[in-house]
Amino acid sequence: MIRRAMYTALLRQQFVLQRNELIALTVAAGAIAPVSLLGVRSINGVAAAESLLALAVPLTIFSVIFAATTGLVMAIRAYSADSATRHTYALALPITRGDYALLRALTGISLMLLPLAGYAIGTYLTVAAVPTPPELYAYPFGVTLRCSLALLVCFSFGFALQYGLGRNAGRAFVIGIVLLGIVEIANAMVFYGVLTSDFWRALASDASPFAVFNTQWTLFDV
């Protein structure tokens, strides 16, 4: 009962803190599939099959940007608010730091359901509005499921980095990106691509959680 009450209180507090961001992210998520559809051509009132297949390119780009942005924003913003008040709210609660971090993670994941719902609505409305040729099928549920997994991966990465390193998370992230860039430049110029090939291959393999970003997000397919 106590944890449920604290979860409800944290959920309400985080929603008030991020409601403007949540509204913007939900509206943006709902617009992804319709905006991706703008370049689709039609023949006699029916969308051309090659245009619907090409829809996967902009849909993938916009969806990955959305998932990364939403996941990281939901993971970082709550900690930033706590840090600005020197964690007085967290210290005032009768729970351990580990329990507090767990509740923060649960509330962040719960609130991400709003942008995910916007993404699902936009996807299903797009499918309903497009006359599909008989050789193609629509997969709105599959694309929405993929988006939910991408959101969870990005949120988990951002949350672990932020709550694991605290105020040093941003600095560590920038240093990591710079070091990765240096290694990749040296890899291309000196080692001819063999130095980090196994690393990227493992990161993109089916066993990696980041494999969700490895292929195109296909809304229409055979």
Side-chain angles (χ1 to χ4, degrees), residues 15-96:
F15 175 77
V16 171
L17 172 69
Q18 296 188 264
R19 60 186 171 190
N20 293 333
E21 297 164 6
L22 285 167
I23 292 172
L25 290 170
T26 302
V27 172
I32 288 175
V35 169
S36 302
L37 193 68
L38 292 178
V40 173
R41 296 183 294 105
S42 62
I43 302 175
N44 297 326
V46 178
E50 63 272 15
S51 292
L52 290 179
L53 292 175
L55 173 67
V57 176
L59 183 67
T60 299
I61 295 173
F62 294 144
S63 297
V64 168
I65 293 174
F66 160 72
T69 302
T70 303
L72 293 176
V73 165
M74 296 305 298
I76 294 172
R77 281 284 284 122
Y79 183 90
S80 299
D82 285 341
S83 179
T85 58
R86 297 183 179 273
H87 302 277
T88 53
Y89 182 75
L91 293 172
L93 298 177
I95 53 176
T96 64

Side-chain angles (χ1 to χ4, degrees), residues 73-194:
V73 165
M74 296 305 298
I76 294 172
R77 281 284 284 122
Y79 183 90
S80 299
D82 285 341
S83 179
T85 58
R86 297 183 179 273
H87 302 277
T88 53
Y89 182 75
L91 293 172
L93 298 177
I95 53 176
T96 64
R97 175 178 171 80
D99 287 340
Y100 179 78
L102 177 61
L103 289 174
R104 274 297 192 198
L106 291 176
T107 55
I109 292 172
S110 299
L111 291 175
M112 281 197 304
L113 293 176
L114 294 175
L116 181 62
Y119 186 90
I121 291 172
T123 301
Y124 276 91
L125 288 178
T126 299
V127 169
V130 176
T132 308
E135 65 268 22
L136 294 183
Y137 296 92
Y139 300 95
F141 177 77
V143 171
T144 302
L145 179 61
R146 190 182 188 117
C147 183
S148 66
L149 295 176
L151 283 171
L152 188 60
V153 168
C154 292
F155 177 84
S156 301
F157 173 78
F159 192 87
L161 185 67
Q162 182 66 80
Y163 278 80
L165 298 178
R167 294 182 178 179
N168 297 319
R171 187 181 307 167
F173 182 75
V174 172
I175 292 174
I177 293 297
V178 171
L179 289 177
L180 182 62
I182 293 174
V183 170
E184 282 300 316
I185 292 173
N187 182 43
M189 297 179 63
V190 180
F191 299 98
Y192 303 101
V194 300

